[in-house]
Amino acid sequence: MQTDVIHKLQKPWFMLSAAEKEVLPHYILGTDSLGRDVLSYLIYGARTSVILCVGCTLLSMLISVAIGTLSAVIGGWFDLVVQRFVDAWQCIPNMLMLMILMSIFGNGMWQLIFAMAVPSGISGSRMIRSAAIGVKDSGYMKVSGQLGCGTIWKTIRHVIPNIMPLVIVSATGALSSAVMMESSMNFLGMGVEPGTPSWGYMITNQGRPNMYLAPWLALLPSIMIALMVFSANMFGDGVRDMLDPRLKGGVGSYNTKRIQKMAAKQLKKFNIKHPTNTGEETQA
């Protein structure tokens, strides 16, 4: 990443006048207060931000599913002890716990991933537990136990697939929280190592001091964060529809034509004509 100390805080190329374009070097998205190319910084920062946020989200969901599912399936004294621990953990603010963990481990990407994932994973296990209890009390779970299936088999085969849509939706929501948490920790000086390019570091260390002089330094990484969160939400919706057992087989809300064909086939067995578009139904 090159540094041009002469052309600091240069406007993006599309904001320059015709005379300035002939004199100034072409930086598509301008430069920051140190003369670094903003476009290059965004590209390098994407690697850090995506790895950090995705890694934090995956580890957090893994902790939530492990604690919530085991607590719901095992039940009894184990559930009681685990939930009292979760209650005590939720009494501590996440930011305070994050600052304590970062003070212990020090600055760095992997330290920040671990420090952000553990508090959010423990706190999020309560929602996973509630969904797992609903699946545990269902009829097919009881029948599976009567057929001799063990706890591990029932958990892997029935509980986890049925709570997976909730896990995916929670993960996509936690992704945006991880981005903002990373920005907050960089603002406090407890985030990634100084000089490591990331979108959150760019907002807090370049965009905030130059908000009135060069607003694009905060606006551009904010747009990238918004696009990443939007893409994650769209990806999560697609994966949820693919993994949800209630939508398997192509009979979900996105394939109504197949539902109509199946309904017409079943009605044909009883010599009943399929309802017309006007809603009228006639029998043969």
Side-chain angles (χ1 to χ4, degrees), residues 55 73 78 108 121 124 127 135 152 155 183 233 241 252 254 272 274 278:
V73 173
F78 180 81
M127 181 172 55
V135 177
I152 298 178
T155 302
S183 303
N233 289 332
D241 295 340
Y254 299 109
I272 301 176
H274 191 271
T278 59

Side-chain angles (χ1 to χ4, degrees), residues 15 29 88 115 167 256:
M15 295 177 59
L29 298 180
V167 173
T256 56

Side-chain angles (χ1 to χ4, degrees), residues 6-278:
I6 298 177
H7 301 92
K8 296 187 295 184
L9 295 178
Q10 180 176 316
K11 297 179 181 180
W13 182 79
F14 56 86
M15 295 177 59
L16 297 176
S17 61
E20 290 176 335
K21 291 180 181 179
E22 296 178 357
V23 178
L24 297 176
H26 290 180
Y27 291 103
I28 298 177
L29 298 180
T31 58
D32 59 10
S33 59
L34 298 177
R36 295 174 297 193
D37 184 16
V38 175
L39 178 60
S40 300
Y41 203 95
L42 287 174
I43 295 174
Y44 277 92
R47 177 175 56 185
T48 303
S49 297
V50 171
I51 292 175
L52 193 149
C53 297
V54 173
C56 173
T57 302
L58 292 178
L59 182 58
S60 174
M61 288 298 105
L62 182 62
I63 295 173
S64 297
V65 171
I67 296 176
T69 304
L70 292 177
S71 180
V73 173
I74 297 176
W77 64 268
F78 180 81
D79 183 30
L80 180 63
V81 173
V82 170
Q83 292 310 307
R84 298 296 77 77
F85 172 76
V86 173
D87 292 338
W89 186 276
Q90 289 181 333
C91 295
I92 305 174
N94 286 337
M95 182 60 70
L96 177 60
M97 182 59 66
L98 185 55
M99 293 175 62
I100 294 174
L101 294 176
M102 290 302 298
S103 299
I104 297 174
F105 298 125
N107 291 11
M109 181 187 299
W110 302 111
Q111 294 91 324
L112 186 59
I113 290 175
F114 180 79
M116 289 195 303
V118 171
S120 60
I122 296 176
S123 300
S125 63
R126 176 64 63 85
M127 181 172 55
I128 303 298
R129 171 182 173 272
S130 301
I133 289 177
V135 177
K136 177 186 175 182
D137 296 335
S138 59
Y140 56 85
M141 283 287 290
K142 297 179 181 179
V143 173
S144 179
Q146 294 174 356
L147 293 176
C149 297
T151 302
I152 298 178
W153 171 260
K154 291 189 295 184
T155 302
I156 297 176
R157 185 66 180 85
H158 298 296
V159 177
I160 294 181
N162 282 279
I163 66 173
M164 191 57 64
L166 176 63
V167 173
I168 295 174
V169 173
S170 301
T172 54
L175 184 64
S176 58
S177 300
V179 176
M180 301 311 299
M181 190 68 71
E182 184 257 344
S183 303
S184 301
M185 295 308 296
N186 283 325
F187 176 76
L188 297 174
M190 296 183 178
V192 296
E193 297 179 357
T196 303
S198 69
W199 293 339
Y201 182 85
M202 187 174 183
I203 293 174
T204 56
N205 291 272
Q206 292 292 336
R208 186 180 61 87
N210 303 290
M211 181 63 69
Y212 297 103
L213 186 61
W216 61 87
L217 294 179
L219 183 60
L220 292 175
S222 300
I223 293 175
M224 299 303 297
I225 291 174
L227 290 176
M228 184 179 70
V229 174
F230 177 76
S231 302
N233 289 332
M234 293 297 101
F235 178 77
D237 289 341
V239 175
R240 180 201 60 189
D241 295 340
M242 182 178 64
L243 297 180
D244 193 343
R246 292 166 294 185
L247 298 178
K248 283 186 177 180
V251 295
S253 59
Y254 299 109
N255 199 343
T256 56
K257 292 183 179 180
R258 182 167 181 177
I259 296 177
Q260 294 176 357
K261 291 181 180 179
M262 294 175 61
K265 185 177 180 181
Q266 295 297 325
L267 294 175
K268 188 176 180 181
K269 294 181 180 179
F270 299 97
N271 295 326
I272 301 176
K273 293 183 180 181
H274 191 271
T276 59
N277 294 332
T278 59

